[in-house]
Amino acid sequence: QVQLVESGGGLVQAGGSLRLSCAASGRTFSSLVMGWFRQAPGKEREFVARIRWSSSTSYADSVKGRFTISRDNVKNTVYLQMNTLKPEDTAVYYCAAKDSDFAPAYRYWGQGTQVTVSS
């Protein structure tokens, strides 16, 4: 079992930055594939970014060049650095984990942290 706890959300003006953190516990963190997802009001949850154990990354087109996902396998933490934020980035952001790249779905989820970008 893996427990995930997000932090770092808040209110920021358009053009500003925030860094989200997700602390993991419960099993070997370095082997997990970690992801960030978000869900805006009235919309379905969507993929934001993913990082493998090897630190290779992928991003949704909507955040490429503005967001950076990273991980610290010593601190068992994954980060999402969000720059040049836009009002459309407003959402609840969720950290998620899966056991491997071949797993069909993310099995473990955090409780979410609210990010609000004002125009």
Side-chain angles (χ1 to χ4, degrees), residues 7-12 18 20 82 85 90-91 113-118:
S7 60
L11 173 64
V12 64
L18 279 175
L20 305 182
M82 305 185 294
L85 282 160
T90 295
T113 186
Q114 177 70 47
V115 171
T116 303
V117 184
S118 62

Side-chain angles (χ1 to χ4, degrees), residues 78-92:
V78 63
Y79 304 98
L80 186 67
Q81 178 66 45
M82 305 185 294
N83 298 329
T84 319
L85 282 160
K86 305 175 181 180
E88 51 264 43
D89 294 317
T90 295
V92 177

Side-chain angles (χ1 to χ4, degrees), residues 37-48 88 90-92 94 109:
F37 292 76
R38 66 187 182 186
Q39 186 167 20
K43 294 188 176 181
E44 292 190 353
R45 186 167 58 194
E46 65 176 2
F47 168 79
V48 175
E88 51 264 43
T90 295
V92 177
Y94 297 91
W109 293 85

Side-chain angles (χ1 to χ4, degrees), residues 37-95:
F37 292 76
R38 66 187 182 186
Q39 186 167 20
K43 294 188 176 181
E44 292 190 353
R45 186 167 58 194
E46 65 176 2
F47 168 79
V48 175
R50 180 268 291 144
I51 185 166
R52 293 188 175 118
W53 64 270
S54 63
S55 292
S56 72
T57 59
S58 73
Y59 297 91
D61 288 343
S62 59
V63 307
K64 269 181 193 172
R66 300 188 298 121
F67 290 12
T68 302
I69 188 172
S70 61
R71 66 192 297 161
D72 185 331
N73 289 336
V74 174
K75 295 183 178 180
N76 289 355
T77 301
V78 63
Y79 304 98
L80 186 67
Q81 178 66 45
M82 305 185 294
N83 298 329
T84 319
L85 282 160
K86 305 175 181 180
E88 51 264 43
D89 294 317
T90 295
V92 177
Y93 283 71
Y94 297 91
C95 174

